[in-house]
Amino acid sequence: YIRQVARTIFTRVSGDETKHHVFYRDAVGDKNGNGAIKIDPSTVVKALERQARDFNMPGKGGIPDFDQQALVVAEAGVYDRIIYFDILKKLAVDHWKIDQLQGLDDAAELARERIFASMAIMARKASLFEERRAAKRAKLVDDPTAIWVGKKAA
């Protein structure tokens, strides 16, 4: 029964998150190049840089022990730096192609440079996190008290 309830909740949350993702992705710029990025690319790039820099998960300010809980989620591979980096790269580079935008004002050019600099830092941090997580999991493989998520120890 509990698994069915959890499955129902997670299915609803996942669907809701997907709707948010698609809405914001396409509001910025859809697959045809329409959206805010076409109307005012400089403002959009500056906003993207601000969002990437200041991003916090919902709940960060109000859930007790949020950082510890987020670490458990990250260690389980549910949502972590690697996933966040992949989403940012797929949107900023692959979908919106901010690296190819022309005619940005000086502040937007600087914001674009900061986006790519922060993405390089994120990639390094994500790689280090994955290495630490893999080492931790390797130690847990033979531990009968390990908490298992899917087919891997959390």
Side-chain angles (χ1 to χ4, degrees):
Y1 172 77
I2 292 174
R3 285 180 185 235
Q4 184 57 41
V5 170
R7 184 182 318 251
T8 301
I9 291 169
F10 291 139
T11 299
R12 178 166 289 175
V13 169
S14 174
D16 193 45
E17 288 300 314
T18 299
K19 288 176 188 173
H20 284 113
H21 173 83
V22 170
F23 171 79
Y24 287 111
R25 180 197 66 201
D26 290 349
V28 171
D30 67 14
K31 64 183 177 183
N32 298 316
N34 298 312
I37 206 160
K38 182 177 182 179
I39 297 166
D40 190 351
S42 290
T43 298
V44 169
V45 169
K46 290 181 274 192
L48 291 173
E49 188 275 330
R50 229 178 7 261
Q51 181 62 26
R53 175 177 23 98
D54 297 337
F55 176 78
N56 275 314
M57 290 295 292
K60 174 91 170 140
I63 296 175
D65 301 318
F66 179 85
D67 289 335
Q68 184 59 34
Q69 293 179 44
L71 183 58
V72 170
V73 169
E75 287 178 349
V78 175
Y79 188 83
D80 56 28
R81 292 176 185 267
I82 298 160
I83 294 168
Y84 178 66
F85 173 77
D86 287 344
I87 291 169
L88 183 60
K89 182 185 176 297
K90 284 176 187 169
L91 288 172
V93 179
D94 302 339
H95 190 79
W96 297 320
K97 303 183 185 320
I98 66 166
D99 55 324
Q100 299 173 23
L101 290 176
Q102 303 279 327
L104 297 176
D105 64 32
D106 292 344
E109 285 288 356
L110 183 59
R112 177 167 50 187
E113 290 173 18
R114 285 195 300 255
I115 289 171
F116 285 108
S118 67
M119 286 177 67
I121 292 167
M122 276 187 238
R124 284 194 300 277
K125 286 181 177 180
S127 179
L128 290 171
F129 178 82
E130 180 58 31
E131 288 173 17
R132 286 192 298 266
R133 180 170 56 193
K136 186 175 183 179
R137 284 181 174 170
K139 290 178 186 176
L140 292 173
V141 168
D142 295 322
D143 182 352
T145 65
I147 298 171
W148 290 86
V149 176
K151 296 180 181 176
K152 298 181 179 181

